[in-house]
Amino acid sequence: MTVEKLIVRSPWFVAFAIVALAHLILNGADVTPWDGITKVMLAPLLAAWVLVDHGPKIIAAALIACAFGDLFLLWDGTFIVGMAAFAIGHICFIRFFISRGALQGIRKNPWVLLAYTAAAVALVGYTWSGLGELQIPVPIYAAILVCTAATSLAYNKTAGLGGALFLFSDAIILLGQADKWQPEPTDIWIMASYILALLLLTVGILSQEKMRLGTITR
């Protein structure tokens, strides 16, 4: 059985896909509170998939941290708390990728890290005047996101695409927070890229770990 078939046939993948589609529909129709409920369900479903599939527990922890981030972002007054929760999740991702040799990969090809860093610096610089109280946490969070994107790509291409989409999704949020740019419909762009980011990070890690342990065939 190929990696792709193993993943697509997973009931957890099916459950995640159903909730993700439901969320995008509810979000587009502005059906509260169900759009928020389905949003918060996304990362825990992937965390359960990781645990049931005997994947790395630190990845399950990362996804649960993301779920708390989603929860706190539902309320305007807890934006920074939500950002902190996501930062914890990203630190878990980074620690895992480093444990799998990501730093060696970055040393061999540092241009990816440099490109991500340049993009993040340009984005933060462009939005700086509109950040207000976020001027301190945003550069720190941006640096963490860059590390996730670079180390995930050094791990494998699927996870790397997930890391890039996570950066893209949060970039749209940052532009909106700074009143610089808001694509229409904003929430759909943010959530579609975020959902794909979570899925690709999970899929990339589960498939790579199974191949590393020799539990599936190519």
Side-chain angles (χ1 to χ4, degrees), residues 160-205:
L161 180 56
L165 284 171
F166 219 127
L167 187 59
F168 174 77
S169 177
D170 281 359
I172 298 176
I173 295 175
L174 178 61
L175 288 166
Q177 286 289 320
D179 292 324
K180 294 296 184 179
W181 181 61
Q182 289 186 326
E184 295 295 338
T186 306
D187 286 349
I188 296 298
W189 277 94
I190 292 171
M191 288 309 303
S193 53
Y194 171 64
I195 287 168
L196 284 174
L198 287 182
L199 179 61
L200 289 170
L201 281 165
T202 303
V203 166
I205 291 166

Side-chain angles (χ1 to χ4, degrees), residues 131-168:
L131 292 181
E133 65 178 5
L134 296 177
Q135 285 184 341
I136 293 176
V138 162
I140 297 172
Y141 183 67
I144 293 172
L145 271 176
V146 164
C147 290
T148 299
T151 55
S152 62
L153 184 58
Y155 178 72
N156 71 23
K157 291 181 180 179
T158 302
L161 180 56
L165 284 171
F166 219 127
L167 187 59
F168 174 77

